Amino acid sequence: MSKPRVAIFDFACCEGCQLQVVNLEEELLDVLSVVTPVEWREAMSEQSEEYDIAIIEGSITRPEDEERVKKIRERAKILIALGACATTGGVNKLKNNFGMDEVRTIVYGKDAAMPHLNTMPTKSVAEVVKVDYMVHGCPINNKEFTYIVRCLVMGKQPVIPNYPVCVECKMRGNVCRYEYGEICLGPVTRAGCNAPCPSAGFWCFGCRGYVDDPNVQAAREVMDKYGKTVEDLKSRLLLFGSKQEHTDE
Amino acid sequence: MSIKKLEPAALNRWVDGILQKQKVYGIQARGDKFVFDQLDRADQLRLDYDVSVTAPKAFLQPPCETLLRFGEKGFESVVESEPFVLFGVHPYDMAAILQMDVVFAEGNPDIHYLERRKNATIVVCDVQNASENVFAGCMGTAVLESGGDVLVTRVGSAYVVESRSARGEALMETIATAPVAGARDLGERKAVWEKNRKLLRRHELKVKPEQLPALLEKSYDHPVWEEKAKRCFSCGSCNLVCPTCYCFNVRDTVSYNLKDGERERVWDGCMLAEFALVAGGHNFRKKKAERYRHRYYRKGKYLHDMHKQIACVGCGRCITACVTKIANPVEIYNRLAEGQK
Amino acid sequence: MISSNTAQPMKDIYLPEPADVLKASPMTALEMFFEFRLASGRELGHMPGQFVEVSIPGIGEAPISISSSPTQKGSFQMVVRKVGNVSGAMHALSAGRQVGIRGPFGTHFPVDGEMKGKDILFICGGIGLVPVRSAINYVLDHRDDYGHVTILFGTKTPADRLFTDEMQRWASAKDVTFMETVDRGDDAWKGNVGVITTLIPKVRLDPARTVAVVCGPPIMYKFVILELDKVGLKADRMYVSLERHMKCGVGKCGHCQVNGLYACQDGAVFKYSDIASVREAI
Amino acid sequence: MSKTVDIHVHHITRVEGHGNIRLRAEDGKVLQCEWQVPEAPRFFEAMVLGRSYEDIQTIVSRICGICSVTHTFAAIKAIEDAMGITVSEQCDKLRMLLHYSEQMESHSLHVGYLVAPDLLGVKSVVPLVASHPEVVKKVIKLHRIGNQWMEAIGGRMTHPVTVKPGGFASLPTEKYLRELKATLTECIPDLKAVAEVVLSLAGKLPAFERPTEYVALVDSPRAYSFYHGGIGTTDSDEIVRPQEFERVANEYVSPQSTAKWCKWHRESYMVGALARFNLNAEQLLPLAAATAKMFGLKKGCCNPYMNNVAQVVELVQVIEHSLQLIDELLTAGIKPELAKSTPREGEGAGAVEAPRGILFHRYAFDKKGNCVKANCCIPTNQNHANIQKDFEALVPQFLGESQDDIRLKMEMLVRAYDPCISCSTHFLNVEFV
Ligand SMILES: Cc1cc2nc3c(=O)[nH]c(=O)nc-3n(C[C@H](O)[C@H](O)[C@H](O)COP(=O)(O)OP(=O)(O)OC[C@H]3O[C@@H](n4cnc5c(N)ncnc54)[C@H](O)[C@@H]3O)c2cc1C
Ligand code: SF4
Ligand code: SF4
Ligand code: SF4
């Protein structure tokens, strides 16, 4: 594809993933040498309806957003989900553990019924439209993002790891968080982030979503070895894995 | 070859002298664990360490290294290496390096490894404190009769320092005038060795290592594979921490002109789900149990069939690294042996 | 950029050498035919059944069998099925472009050994014909060195057939039996329909003087071998070529292991008796 | 003169999140003038319910990618307040140092990438790369320094992971701190150069003033505070404890907005760099004070557009104070103390300055340390009503100008606030009894 036109759209999210794109600093100019941005609300005033690649950040939480994302899908040749909110629903899905009236009341109290505060259970972008590529993570790893962009421009299928974070964690020479009696989600979480959290002494909380075949059952079985309970594990799995297939097993 | 006796202060002076001239990666503390990292001062050295988090193989086959560069002019080899000293390698890790030497030199020699190896001066140091899971004593690697360039052994409050190669001899040049270790020191060193052979057995292997290939030969359908693998995350931690594991993946990266780039090799592991997957979707080791078994067979039989050495040196890192606690080779081999009786 | 302290620069086993694309033409919807010549002018020097690693800078490397016979000088040929990145990038090649080549690697069919003087039975499924074609043409180019030649070829559908022009030549060559089948026919297809094993009972062969060469998708081997066993062919007279994931091609990376064997070094061509008890092989 | 003005800015660009501007005027009479926030609400205060105190900051950090460090600190301070956890002096200083990395990152992003295009009459920073390469390079450099600094101490760029209740999960090395000191010292001239460019363009900032209440952290002893202290206002001498922040914010739901609005002594108040400056100007360190002087920025300034100038002053302040903190940390030496905490039942609140203004979090926990109540009050929420009030005062003043000029002034005004709309859309007072 010769210099595709790219548009970036955001839905319910913290915009941290777009920030990661800005954080490429000078490298952003290199990215602009292989793609032409035609719409990017956070960084520029131009807007366009013609684009080859649509990059979508954020979760879908309102019926009107569902319509908007469908329209974007119709126009785009390639659709990329950017970041956990878009790929899995991210933390936004924690909301789905409650009833919608309940969350509205918790946050807006007596005003909860006002129409503009309407909300629906959070969906990932893939739950609404077909997603061609996923850039996982909360926030994304911007190196992985540019790798995917270059792959697309070259016509190459990007290779996204389907092995756990432990692989990258070990390559970075870390001591396992379990040795300190902490619950780390590294063993069931898809790698590709280069394990920044365990490398900084914090457990992996699973922001990239699960590997294809996560052994959540094994994780349950070892909890007592580390003085933890299955409930502790579930609670952590919920953060980014709410209503993902394996959390409730 | 010289054998010297150095008091701790003299050892430090010697190391500081080396630091003036060469890059040294020495064992040092990181929090409550130990790692090999670039040494700034001799007093950072912790020769009393139990085990390093990452095996020293990382300095010979790094987790990620560039093999080739490509661009307008086609491909060119990249062999990036400069002389360095690896200070404080335990005997079992040295034994593992000796195995890697064979693997990368035989048949089709691998210049990327061999160049680094050629540039490495390795100071082996006898174990002072046994780690939580070490069983090198069972594997015959608690003490190493030869291998490495210098051997440092703590005897009493001093160190016996012995050169084991010309390169080691050169490293010890600056301590040429230091006192020679006497018969008593050597006797004490021997006692340390005897002690280590007995002590580095936190797990007791009930068969002799030489018997493992024959034992495995008969155990292909043993229920233990399925039973344990149920709990496997396919996370590869056991592979990646292992000093004798060297499997790798190769990948290309390109710059923004989409022409120039590099071909890199990165650590890989046979426990990972897609290790034997081919395009089209056929996975030759699709089941966890198949991969789990493969690892033990590779360590205990396949590599032995090729090089006559068991590819486990008993460092115990995999036992610690495995979150679900199923990666203990001793437990598995003992279990297989049990059935034989 | 071999560093200066290498006294005698050793060869880098990972360094590809440039090869020019002489020809690139589609064969089927998925397969493309290629002809290459090493830029240095050197002969590749392969034997039938060997493979090379083909490099496309920035995309990667893939093991691909040599499909031409070593008797053909000056160039070598491949057929590549588009299944992923490297194969996909190869499909975008055209004459005049360059690729990187490492090899040839691996074992080969014993055309100059055990096959000599014997009747030869070639059994190929689909793209399995590609490496075997090298041996077929080698044998036919040295026709007098071998006995009767039987070629069995099966594909999923008529549209998947490869080298149809050449097949005519094979079928009409002296002392050659050529048979084809497809799993599913179409309106135009007049030939056999059924899996490849259904052809085996149709050939007359003398197990005592026959060597079989088998290549096809993983699932094919088990059934073909069972069938050959039935007609009395011994395991040490069967040769198979196994496909595995490969990264280095030179016995280091560990990916292609078949239990204790390396498909890239001990194979890809194996004598079946050597691997009959190797559990991961077939 | 009969003139119709009809401005509808749908999803204003170069701000964080979605906001709309609506202005209709006929014959010099304003019919409608609204700042609307249609951002999808995300309901964080519900999301955290039932979650462990150890996981709270992981969740609430995601309220905002641009001030994730501040959200993390507001949560951690509230948790520590609830559980009676105290931290060491070293921890405190390292937190401030990490917090400054975010001010540096955010302010340079805002001034350099989002506001500068307005001052130079272009639509984004991209054309500036060609027209003003030197300044852009310097801005990128400052921004990168902020990011790398955040990554080094926080463990990640955006959504830090080293910060835990009771301390740090891992500590920067002394070697790193020495490097950071060198980097920060070295970037002061770059910062000065950027400040001078802003100064040369400051004339483009509309001359518009509206007497306003300013609210920011005020520490005791007095310091230019981002991390410590109570809630101060320009309208009174009272300093409110963070635990009573609801008394300040008085949040209410406006039909114009999915985000909530706030008011204290007046109908609205402003938070952010200008508010901090108006409350703490005397406490600026020398270089920062000199920078303020250079711009003629004086305590009591009530031109909201000057918020951008106050941000430049703060960039200097942040670097100056960081250098002091690093020296103090290095003199004491980094001690290997890592976070430890045990859960306890309780309720607590935390107040911290985000780059765009003061931020409040409140949580209550049960015995196991699971969250039973939450309330977060976001700086941009606190500014929404003030933006509306500014609009109402601004528009009649400039109604004679062309529609494009009015529109630009309104957009610039919103941008001046450095609003973080996505993070302002999910909160309201929860009644705590
Ligand atoms: C000895 C041998 C001979 C072969 N001969 C031919 C041939 O003549 N024609 C042909 O079309 N194909 C042949 N193949 C299969 C071919 O190598 C794969 O289809 C090819 O590697 C796929 O690479 P890709 O980049 O297109 O696919 P991707 O799916 O993008 O592959 C990703 C990577 O996985 C690895 N990989 C994936 N599949 C295989 C595989 N089957 N074998 C080895 N590595 C793999 C490669 O390293 C590849 O770079 C042969 C394979 C082997 C082992
Ligand atoms: S810290 Fe987490 S990611 Fe790292 S090895 Fe342990 S479980 Fe895996
Ligand atoms: S198998 Fe385990 S104990 Fe043996 S060498 Fe490898 S990591 Fe050490
Ligand atoms: S470390 Fe344990 S869980 Fe991970 S791959 Fe090895 S055996 Fe499986």
Side-chain angles (χ1 to χ4, degrees):
Chain A
M1 212 186 283
S2 62
K3 242 192 163 192
R5 292 162 65 86
V6 177
I8 301 185
F9 303 95
D10 41 31
F11 290 83
C13 65
C14 78
E15 299 194 11
C17 292
Q18 287 187 58
L19 187 64
Q20 292 309 306
V21 177
V22 174
N23 288 350
L24 286 165
E25 316 290 0
E26 288 94 338
E27 203 183 325
L28 191 51
L29 300 177
D30 293 326
V31 174
L32 297 183
S33 72
V34 294
V35 301
T36 309
V38 296
E39 174 160 352
W40 184 4
R41 193 196 45 75
E42 198 185 62
M44 55 192 258
S45 289
E46 290 90 341
Q47 299 194 337
S48 169
E49 299 212 325
E50 273 167 46
Y51 37 82
D52 303 302
I53 301 178
I55 299 179
I56 302 208
E57 188 195 27
S59 310
I60 310 304
T61 61
R62 296 187 295 202
E64 59 262 42
D65 293 339
E66 206 162 340
E67 291 316 308
R68 185 170 158 233
V69 81
K70 281 181 185 155
K71 288 228 172 64
I72 295 170
R73 173 72 267 190
E74 278 167 24
R75 292 212 184 89
K77 294 194 187 82
I78 294 175
L79 187 140
I80 302 176
L82 186 74
C85 292
T87 61
T88 67
V91 287
N92 295 328
K93 274 208 174 168
L94 276 169
K95 185 182 85 178
N96 299 7
N97 296 304
F98 304 86
M100 290 307 107
D101 287 341
E102 198 181 351
V103 292
R104 262 201 308 273
T105 311
I106 291 169
V107 180
Y108 293 101
K110 58 184 188 331
D111 301 311
M114 290 169 88
H116 66 300
L117 303 176
N118 194 18
T119 193
M120 66 181 198
T122 300
K123 290 182 184 175
S124 68
V125 174
E127 286 169 273
V128 180
V129 294
K130 177 173 170 278
V131 171
D132 300 305
Y133 299 97
M134 304 237 196
V135 191
H136 292 286
C138 181
I140 57 157
N141 169 356
N142 57 15
K143 297 287 171 214
E144 187 180 51
F145 170 74
T146 64
Y147 161 75
I148 291 173
V149 168
R150 270 171 295 168
C151 280
L152 293 185
V153 178
M154 284 176 84
K156 173 179 172 178
Q157 282 296 318
V159 181
I160 307 301
N162 184 23
Y163 46 73
V165 174
C166 300
V167 172
E168 290 165 351
C169 185
K170 288 287 166 249
M171 287 196 203
R172 291 191 62 175
N174 295 326
V175 177
C176 181
R177 298 320 301 167
Y178 281 92
E179 282 194 54
Y180 297 105
E182 295 168 6
I183 299 178
C184 177
L185 300 187
V188 292
T189 302
R190 184 184 300 276
C193 50
N194 207 18
C197 306
S199 304
F202 200 74
W203 48 77
C204 164
F205 37 84
C207 74
R208 291 177 59 88
Y210 294 113
V211 290
D212 282 351
D213 183 20
N215 198 342
V216 175
Q217 189 53 32
R220 295 166 65 112
E221 284 172 25
V222 313
M223 279 304 121
D224 59 333
K225 280 208 160 65
Y226 298 98
K228 300 280 177 187
T229 66
V230 173
E231 281 312 306
D232 295 335
L233 171 71
K234 257 181 138 168
S235 184
R236 187 142 299 153
L237 283 169
L238 265 174
L239 298 179
F240 283 85
S242 283
K243 302 293 170 202
Q244 276 191 50
E245 214 176 321
H246 304 280
T247 310
D248 295 334
E249 273 169 19
Chain B
M1 298 275 142
S2 35
I3 303 194
K4 302 288 184 180
K5 182 176 181 180
L6 297 182
E7 294 302 324
L11 182 99
N12 278 359
R13 275 198 303 279
W14 172 49
V15 174
D16 278 328
I18 298 171
L19 280 169
Q20 304 284 309
K21 282 181 268 169
Q22 289 202 64
K23 190 172 242 180
V24 179
Y25 298 100
I27 188 74
Q28 45 196 296
R30 214 32 109 256
D32 50 357
K33 309 282 174 187
F34 301 93
V35 300
F36 284 94
D37 201 350
Q38 193 171 345
L39 206 64
D40 300 322
R41 303 181 318 269
D43 63 8
Q44 292 171 318
L45 265 185
R46 285 291 298 273
L47 297 180
D48 61 337
Y49 80 109
D50 53 0
V51 62
S52 65
V53 174
T54 304
K57 71 172 178 186
F59 294 92
L60 301 167
Q61 187 200 357
C64 180
E65 67 182 298
T66 302
L67 295 178
L68 306 169
R69 251 191 288 276
F70 50 80
E72 291 292 320
K73 295 194 301 281
F75 289 95
E76 59 179 14
S77 280
V78 178
V79 183
E80 278 163 349
S81 173
E82 50 175 19
F84 66 98
V85 178
L86 201 48
F87 206 107
V89 173
H90 274 164
Y92 50 79
D93 278 339
M94 190 64 224
I97 290 173
L98 295 175
Q99 291 193 15
M100 297 255 284
D101 289 349
V102 174
V103 169
F104 283 106
E106 72 174 351
N108 300 288
D110 181 314
I111 53 169
H112 305 271
Y113 176 91
L114 293 176
E115 270 299 308
R116 257 188 225 102
R117 183 66 176 92
K118 219 159 73 185
N119 274 323
T121 305
I122 303 183
V123 178
V124 179
C125 107
D126 275 312
V127 180
Q128 293 177 41
N129 285 301
S131 69
E132 184 194 354
N133 284 315
V134 66
F135 58 97
C138 311
M139 305 308 291
T141 56
V143 172
L144 218 54
E145 303 296 340
S146 64
D149 300 303
V150 176
L151 175 69
V152 176
T153 314
R154 179 149 187 139
V155 290
S157 64
Y159 295 91
V160 171
V161 180
E162 177 188 14
S163 75
R164 289 185 151 188
S165 70
R167 202 187 308 227
E169 196 66 33
L171 197 71
M172 288 172 62
E173 212 164 60
T174 53
I175 47 170
T177 56
V180 174
R184 207 169 129 213
D185 303 316
L186 295 185
E188 276 186 51
R189 184 171 76 162
K190 211 161 183 177
V192 168
W193 289 348
E194 279 319 306
K195 193 185 86 195
N196 278 356
R197 285 194 179 97
K198 288 206 197 75
L199 215 66
L200 303 190
R201 288 171 182 266
R202 290 297 176 87
H203 304 269
E204 193 63 51
L205 187 64
K206 297 206 180 90
V207 288
K208 292 206 174 65
E210 310 82 86
Q211 298 171 312
L212 289 176
L215 178 62
L216 285 164
E217 178 83 60
K218 289 177 280 187
S219 309
Y220 204 75
D221 297 308
H222 199 282
V224 72
W225 311 125
E226 197 65 59
E227 203 179 286
K228 292 281 179 185
K230 269 209 289 246
R231 287 243 307 262
C232 179
F233 287 122
S234 303
C235 73
S237 292
C238 50
N239 293 136
L240 298 168
V241 299
C242 180
T244 71
C245 274
Y246 56 85
C247 289
F248 57 82
N249 194 359
V250 177
R251 63 182 183 210
D252 283 12
T253 58
V254 284
S255 68
Y256 285 91
N257 68 13
L258 309 180
K259 291 194 182 75
D260 303 324
E262 294 181 349
R263 183 160 291 167
E264 307 172 323
R265 117 161 110 197
V266 288
W267 286 359
D268 206 335
C270 61
M271 298 297 281
L272 304 182
E274 296 181 353
F275 188 77
L277 176 73
V278 298
H282 193 90
N283 192 338
F284 288 95
R285 244 172 262 118
K286 190 176 163 73
K287 287 170 44 197
K288 285 202 228 10
E290 292 166 341
R291 299 190 290 273
Y292 182 80
R293 175 177 57 203
H294 182 78
R295 171 171 167 255
Y296 291 98
Y297 269 71
R298 193 164 147 99
K299 304 254 162 252
K301 181 173 187 318
Y302 302 154
L303 288 174
H304 183 271
D305 290 349
M306 289 160 71
H307 311 125
K308 301 290 159 261
Q309 277 176 318
I310 299 295
C312 168
V313 294
C315 72
R317 287 187 181 91
C318 56
I319 307 176
T320 311
C322 179
V323 170
T324 67
K325 299 296 164 220
I326 54 167
N328 184 342
V330 180
E331 188 191 334
I332 298 301
Y333 294 139
N334 284 349
R335 175 82 185 275
L336 298 180
E338 237 168 63
Q340 298 299 307
K341 280 178 206 148
Chain C
M1 230 177 281
I2 311 280
S3 79
S4 54
N5 41 10
T6 320
Q8 251 171 308
M10 248 192 287
K11 191 170 151 267
D12 185 349
I13 47 173
Y14 305 111
L15 182 66
E17 62 173 297
D20 298 310
V21 181
L22 302 181
K23 192 173 168 202
S25 57
M27 291 186 95
T28 67
L30 275 181
E31 279 100 12
M32 197 149 165
F33 172 85
F34 295 93
E35 187 156 347
F36 297 101
R37 182 171 51 214
L38 293 176
S40 63
R42 179 176 78 80
E43 283 294 334
L44 183 63
H46 71 289
M47 288 296 284
Q50 284 196 295
F51 67 96
V52 290
E53 286 280 349
V54 181
S55 266
I56 307 287
I59 306 287
E61 267 192 318
I64 304 290
S65 305
I66 310 298
S67 190
S68 53
S69 162
T71 43
Q72 176 203 317
K73 300 290 175 202
S75 68
F76 53 96
Q77 299 167 340
M78 294 174 207
V79 173
V80 175
R81 172 176 289 181
K82 184 175 178 174
V83 292
N85 276 329
V86 177
S87 51
M90 286 184 77
H91 276 234
L93 290 172
S94 53
R97 303 273 300 277
Q98 269 199 346
V99 297
I101 296 281
R102 293 193 294 130
F105 296 129
T107 54
H108 55 84
F109 300 117
V111 284
D112 52 353
E114 282 192 55
M115 283 165 73
K116 273 218 166 137
K118 301 281 178 4
D119 290 348
I120 316 288
L121 171 61
F122 293 108
I123 305 179
C124 321
I127 195 174
L129 177 64
V130 169
V132 174
R133 171 176 173 258
S134 174
I136 294 175
N137 283 337
Y138 186 94
V139 165
L140 295 184
D141 287 345
H142 300 89
R143 191 66 198 88
D144 299 340
D145 292 352
Y146 308 89
H148 188 77
V149 171
T150 307
I151 304 170
L152 308 183
F153 178 48
T155 56
K156 283 211 182 90
T157 72
D160 303 325
R161 297 164 70 230
L162 302 168
F163 295 110
T164 42
D165 298 346
E166 223 161 302
M167 281 175 193
Q168 309 260 314
R169 196 160 60 76
W170 295 341
S172 58
K174 187 177 78 158
D175 254 356
V176 172
T177 310
F178 178 83
M179 273 193 248
E180 265 194 281
T181 183
V182 297
D183 294 357
R184 271 172 287 118
D186 59 18
D187 295 343
W189 180 250
K190 301 277 181 312
N192 295 309
V193 175
V195 292
I196 194 158
T197 42
T198 58
L199 295 181
I200 297 174
K202 294 185 186 171
V203 299
R204 259 183 302 137
L205 60 85
D206 175 359
R209 38 170 299 125
T210 301
V211 171
V213 166
V214 184
C215 188
I219 152 138
M220 189 187 99
Y221 291 97
K222 199 187 284 168
F223 297 104
V224 167
I225 287 162
L226 264 172
E227 213 53 45
L228 290 178
D229 194 49
K230 270 193 218 155
V231 298
L233 202 70
K234 292 266 169 354
D236 62 358
R237 289 296 184 79
M238 301 180 208
Y239 287 85
V240 296
S241 175
L242 299 186
E243 188 194 348
R244 286 295 184 275
H245 189 131
M246 273 176 203
K247 279 299 175 190
C248 68
V250 291
K252 308 280 184 225
C253 78
H255 280 274
C256 73
Q257 266 204 319
V258 183
N259 291 116
L261 302 171
Y262 283 91
C264 67
Q265 298 269 291
D266 307 308
V269 175
F270 292 96
K271 188 194 276 195
Y272 178 61
S273 55
D274 290 343
I275 56 164
S277 61
V278 174
R279 302 282 290 270
E280 288 180 342
I282 301 287
Chain D
M1 184 185 74
S2 119
K3 185 176 166 198
T4 308
V5 180
D6 191 0
I7 295 176
H8 189 177
V9 181
H10 180 68
H11 294 176
I12 176 175
T13 59
R14 278 182 285 127
V15 300
E16 202 278 352
H18 298 86
N20 298 341
I21 299 169
R22 189 80 180 100
L23 173 65
R24 278 192 308 127
E26 245 162 59
D27 300 331
K29 241 184 74 194
V30 178
L31 302 175
Q32 188 190 8
C33 168
E34 271 185 17
W35 165 236
Q36 305 167 335
V37 176
E39 180 89 10
R42 290 168 70 208
F43 303 98
F44 273 91
E45 287 146 323
M47 291 185 201
V48 294
L49 295 185
R51 309 275 57 86
S52 160
Y53 77 106
E54 287 191 303
D55 292 326
I56 297 295
Q57 97 260 22
T58 303
I59 303 172
V60 298
S61 160
R62 270 76 192 170
I63 290 172
C64 176
I66 297 179
C67 33
S68 59
V69 173
T70 312
H71 278 286
T72 301
F73 282 139
I76 291 288
K77 282 180 80 176
I79 292 165
E80 287 173 350
D81 184 36
M83 302 194 174
I85 299 167
T86 52
V87 299
S88 69
E89 199 183 318
Q90 170 178 301
C91 170
D92 211 55
K93 285 185 175 151
L94 281 171
R95 282 183 181 177
M96 283 199 263
L97 196 58
L98 170 57
H99 194 204
Y100 281 150
S101 70
E102 181 164 276
Q103 312 291 336
M104 170 101 169
E105 188 273 328
S106 182
H107 279 1
S108 53
L109 174 95
H110 185 241
V111 176
Y113 295 176
L114 307 182
V115 173
D118 283 335
L119 301 181
L120 292 158
V122 290
K123 289 185 182 309
S124 78
V125 72
V126 178
L128 300 184
V129 176
S131 62
H132 297 71
E134 285 311 310
V135 202
V136 173
K137 245 189 241 158
K138 291 194 165 82
V139 171
I140 290 180
K141 182 175 168 186
L142 296 173
H143 187 242
R144 189 184 33 236
I145 289 172
N147 266 322
Q148 290 177 343
W149 168 9
M150 188 189 298
E151 187 174 27
I153 305 183
R156 262 193 181 200
M157 274 186 212
T158 315
H159 304 315
V161 290
T162 55
V163 184
K164 292 173 82 177
F168 274 83
S170 63
L171 298 163
T173 58
E174 291 176 16
K175 187 166 161 226
Y176 171 73
L177 291 180
R178 279 191 293 272
E179 283 164 22
L180 179 61
K181 182 177 170 180
T183 310
L184 294 184
T185 311
E186 191 244 336
C187 81
I188 291 176
D190 297 304
L191 184 51
K192 275 193 183 143
V194 171
E196 264 152 35
V197 174
V198 177
L199 182 62
S200 71
L201 297 167
K204 298 259 168 66
L205 295 171
F208 162 75
E209 293 191 338
R210 185 178 72 85
T212 301
E213 172 176 13
Y214 293 94
V215 175
L217 276 185
V218 170
D219 199 11
S220 148
R222 293 298 292 239
Y224 199 101
S225 180
F226 288 86
Y227 184 77
H228 287 296
I231 310 160
T233 165
T234 48
D235 275 13
S236 116
D237 288 336
E238 185 191 16
I239 293 180
V240 178
R241 295 184 327 123
Q243 283 76 2
E244 297 174 77
F245 74 79
E246 287 86 351
R247 204 153 67 67
V248 172
N250 300 300
E251 288 180 290
Y252 60 102
V253 177
S254 154
Q256 265 163 267
S257 159
T258 51
K260 283 171 280 171
W261 291 20
C262 297
K263 57 178 174 204
W264 193 6
H265 295 99
R266 311 186 194 190
E267 275 188 294
S268 71
Y269 62 85
M270 179 173 179
V271 300
L274 188 59
R276 287 188 290 263
F277 176 86
N278 275 335
L279 280 150
N280 297 312
E282 292 93 340
Q283 280 73 40
L284 283 172
L285 294 168
L287 263 181
T291 311
K293 205 165 165 204
M294 178 172 109
F295 280 94
L297 181 66
K298 288 201 202 71
K299 197 167 172 155
C301 167
C302 59
N303 177 351
Y305 292 97
M306 289 301 274
N307 194 46
N308 298 139
V309 169
Q311 287 178 325
V312 175
V313 172
E314 285 195 343
L315 276 171
V316 181
Q317 167 74 14
V318 154
I319 290 178
E320 261 183 302
H321 194 210
S322 295
L323 287 170
Q324 277 184 10
L325 285 171
I326 295 172
D327 279 340
E328 288 165 26
L329 283 161
L330 285 174
T331 310
I334 294 288
K335 291 172 281 297
E337 28 170 66
L338 294 179
K340 271 199 291 284
S341 64
T342 34
R344 186 175 101 179
E345 188 172 359
E347 183 181 322
V352 203
E353 288 283 346
R356 45 204 54 74
I358 195 164
L359 166 70
F360 310 116
H361 282 207
R362 170 188 301 285
Y363 303 97
F365 297 95
D366 66 13
K367 279 202 290 292
K368 287 198 213 131
N370 292 330
C371 180
V372 293
K373 269 179 198 167
N375 185 20
C376 311
C377 180
I378 310 299
T380 299
N381 280 0
Q382 301 174 61
N383 277 335
H384 282 316
N386 212 56
I387 295 176
Q388 176 68 32
K389 295 291 158 209
D390 278 351
F391 270 2
E392 287 166 16
L394 175 85
V395 166
Q397 263 190 48
F398 295 98
L399 213 48
E401 295 186 5
S402 77
Q403 180 154 317
D404 281 353
D405 283 348
I406 303 175
R407 177 190 159 122
L408 179 66
K409 287 208 171 60
M410 293 178 86
E411 287 197 24
M412 280 174 70
L413 181 89
V414 173
R415 273 184 214 118
Y417 277 82
D418 189 6
C420 196
I421 300 167
S422 67
C423 73
S424 71
T425 50
H426 357 107
F427 307 100
L428 174 87
N429 243 344
V430 177
E431 297 300 326
F432 283 91
V433 271

